[in-house]
Every structure is written in structure tokens, then in C-alpha cells.
Amino acid sequence: TDMDLARQVQIRLLPQRTPSIAGIELEAQSRPASHVGGDFYDFVTSNEQILTLMLGDVSGKGMPAALLMAMLRTVVRGKAQEMTTPAAERLLGNTNEYLHHDFSEVDMFATLFVGQYDWRNHRLYYANDGHAPVIYRPVQGPARLLEADAPPLGLLPINLAAQYTLDFQPGDLLIITSDGFSEAED
């Protein structure tokens, strides 16, 4: 019963629907391998111009990963809501600074991709702490991986992620998955 309740809480922490933004089509889905786990995604609209999207994966499985996932989601969501300009690397840095001690205490870490889309200027700002795969396919060109340039959150007391920018045009595609995507057997 407790695991079923924990599963229901975790599912409710995920967005129940994607934000509606003119010119953008968002899709998201989560299917935990067990009752609860460490994967999460979220969308935050912090002002009338910026959509923050994130996908994270806490190391481990089960209840320990789910507890840290809830902490991580709460911190990064709160910090994203405070932002008025896109600064994905600062968002990851502030989150790591806030949670590094807690992750170190339990010998865990989390990968996290954060993108901040400025829909008026059609620009995506992103930073990546150890998360893969992230695939970007521009409408006019081949797909490419947006590789992580920093270790996962919680490993170091400082964050090493840099911010990158993409001009995101109609028809461009961004795919962010967790390791469950590549580990799926069916």
C-alpha cells in the first residue's frame, strides 16, 4: 500500500499536461520500471516569455531515488520560477550548490538537462549535467547529439556546465530521454 501511495504521489508531481504555447508542440511521458524511481521531467513558465523544460535522472532505483527526485524537482522548479532571463547554466549551478551536500551524504547523483526556450526570439538556451541522450534535429540539417559537458549534479561542489544557444525554428525537433529509453527491452 505504501509503495502504491508513493507511486501515486510521484506521478502527481509530474506535469499532468504540457503547457500550451503558440508555435510549440510539447509531448512528455514517464513509465517507471518499478513502482517509483528517480526519473522526472517538468515544465516551468517563469514569465511571459520563457519556458524552462527539464529532464533528470537520479542514480539508483526505488524509494531512495524517488525521495531525491522529489527534492531535486522541488529545488530546480523553485529556482526556475524565480528567473526572469534564460540562464540554464546558472540554474544548474544554483541547484547543485543547494543540493550537493545532501547528494554527497547518501552517495548519489543526478543527471539533468535544462533548456530555456525564449519563444518570442525562437531561441533555446540549454545546459547539461551528464544527461544523455539529447538529440537536436534542425528542420534543415542532420540530427546531432547535444552532449553533456559537465558531470552529474551532486558529484562536485561546483557546477561545470556551460550554457549553449540554438536558434530554434519551426520544424526543429528536440528529443530528451532518460536511460530507460535506451534500456527498454520491448
Side-chain angles (χ1 to χ4, degrees):
T1 302
D2 284 345
M3 287 302 276
D4 285 336
L5 288 172
R7 185 181 195 298
Q8 289 175 28
V9 167
Q10 189 170 36
I11 288 170
R12 290 235 155 126
L13 287 176
L14 298 175
Q16 301 305 300
R17 59 185 150 307
T18 58
S20 178
I21 298 171
I24 299 288
E25 188 176 325
L26 297 168
E27 296 292 331
Q29 185 178 52
S30 176
R31 286 193 227 162
S34 61
H35 283 306
V36 292
D39 293 2
F40 79 98
Y41 64 89
D42 205 353
F43 305 99
V44 177
T45 50
S46 55
N47 64 30
E48 297 176 14
Q49 184 174 331
I50 299 168
L51 166 70
T52 299
L53 53 104
M54 62 195 84
L55 191 132
D57 184 4
V58 175
S59 61
K61 303 261 185 246
M63 194 59 77
L67 288 170
L68 285 178
M69 180 282 297
M71 284 175 46
L72 175 57
R73 178 209 169 262
T74 299
V75 170
V76 72
R77 181 176 181 76
K79 294 198 174 294
Q81 287 173 331
E82 296 170 356
M83 299 184 85
T84 57
T85 59
E89 85 289 351
R90 191 175 79 223
L91 179 57
L92 288 176
N94 290 343
T95 300
N96 187 70
E97 183 179 308
Y98 197 82
L99 291 174
H100 175 260
H101 177 76
D102 292 329
F103 274 89
S104 295
E105 284 294 313
V106 293
D107 293 323
M108 294 177 81
F109 61 88
T111 64
L112 183 61
F113 176 90
V114 171
Q116 294 183 302
Y117 182 68
D118 178 343
W119 63 77
R120 289 190 183 141
N121 296 310
H122 304 286
R123 196 161 288 134
L124 177 72
Y125 303 87
Y126 70 92
N128 190 343
D129 276 351
H131 197 83
V134 179
I135 303 165
Y136 170 63
R137 199 255 324 139
V139 72
Q140 298 292 328
R144 69 178 198 254
L145 288 174
L146 302 183
E147 300 201 24
D149 67 343
L153 286 166
L155 292 181
L156 301 173
I158 59 168
N159 189 279
L160 302 174
Q163 178 166 284
Y164 299 92
T165 305
L166 293 172
D167 287 326
F168 210 79
Q169 301 304 315
D172 287 1
L173 181 65
L174 182 69
I175 301 170
I176 313 163
T177 68
S178 72
D179 57 0
F181 182 78
S182 56
E183 293 173 359
E185 294 182 17
D186 185 2

